[in-house]
Amino acid sequence: SFDDFRHLRQNKRTYVDKTGMIPELITRGAQITLFCRPRRFGKSLMLSTLRYFVERVEEDRSYLFSDLAVWQHEYVKTHFQKYPVIMVDMKAARGSSWSGGFGKSWPLSFNGIPIWKALLSYRKKKKSIFRRSVGSRPPANSILRRWSG
């Protein structure tokens, strides 16, 4: 797929290096960043690139970035593979209405686990902040509760 950074790099596909945006995103410190670009302008690819850069996994992904612009910034490299990432792809949501598409197609899971359970599992291992944010179960009236069962 053309919106998966690792796939492009591992398969030696043509890739225009836009990793120079990552230092700006990290050093800006904004809680929310809005990517305003027309369709087919690489928004999903940029998010995939950012995911592969910051997502904490056991696999060493430095080979994906070592020859790209982001690797020249020592401070930004301190954020490399440091954070848990939950990436939700809304492209799969299809329906005649927002609730129909959202309710039927949107994958509210992380590696096959409902997001709220994944957050609690992470919280038990490392951080208590998730417990305070999510609670032991999703609230009865929340969207999370509907999909977590």
Side-chain angles (χ1 to χ4, degrees), residues 9 11-12 21 23 51 65 109 113 116 119:
R9 299 287 288 162
N11 291 296
K12 310 264 191 259
M21 289 179 62
R51 171 193 166 202
F65 296 95
S109 65
I113 303 168
W116 71 273
L119 291 174

Side-chain angles (χ1 to χ4, degrees), residues 17-125:
D17 184 7
K18 294 187 180 181
T19 61
M21 289 179 62
I22 294 174
E24 182 182 340
L25 290 169
I26 289 175
T27 58
R28 182 182 301 158
Q31 290 183 345
I32 298 173
T33 301
L34 177 63
F35 289 94
C36 296
R37 297 282 186 262
R39 290 183 66 218
R40 313 296 307 158
F41 253 71
K43 295 177 298 289
S44 295
L45 178 57
M46 185 64 213
L47 291 174
S48 172
T49 304
L50 186 59
R51 171 193 166 202
Y52 283 112
F53 189 80
V54 301
E55 184 177 41
R56 184 177 55 227
V57 292
E58 295 195 20
E59 162 199 14
D60 178 16
R61 294 178 173 167
S62 60
Y63 71 96
L64 294 171
F65 296 95
S66 61
D67 61 338
L68 299 177
V70 69
W71 213 246
Q72 308 306 313
H73 300 269
E74 291 303 317
Y75 170 73
V76 175
K77 285 179 9 183
T78 64
H79 293 272
F80 182 66
Q81 292 189 236
K82 293 284 185 189
Y83 307 104
V85 172
I86 297 173
M87 189 162 175
V88 178
D89 186 356
M90 296 297 286
K91 287 187 279 187
R94 300 275 187 250
S96 59
S97 68
W98 169 256
S99 59
F102 184 81
K104 292 178 182 170
S105 306
W106 194 54
L108 246 168
S109 65
F110 175 69
N111 292 339
I113 303 168
I115 285 177
W116 71 273
K117 287 184 182 179
L119 291 174
L120 287 175
S121 173
Y122 176 75
R123 195 251 350 130
K124 288 175 185 172
K125 292 178 185 172

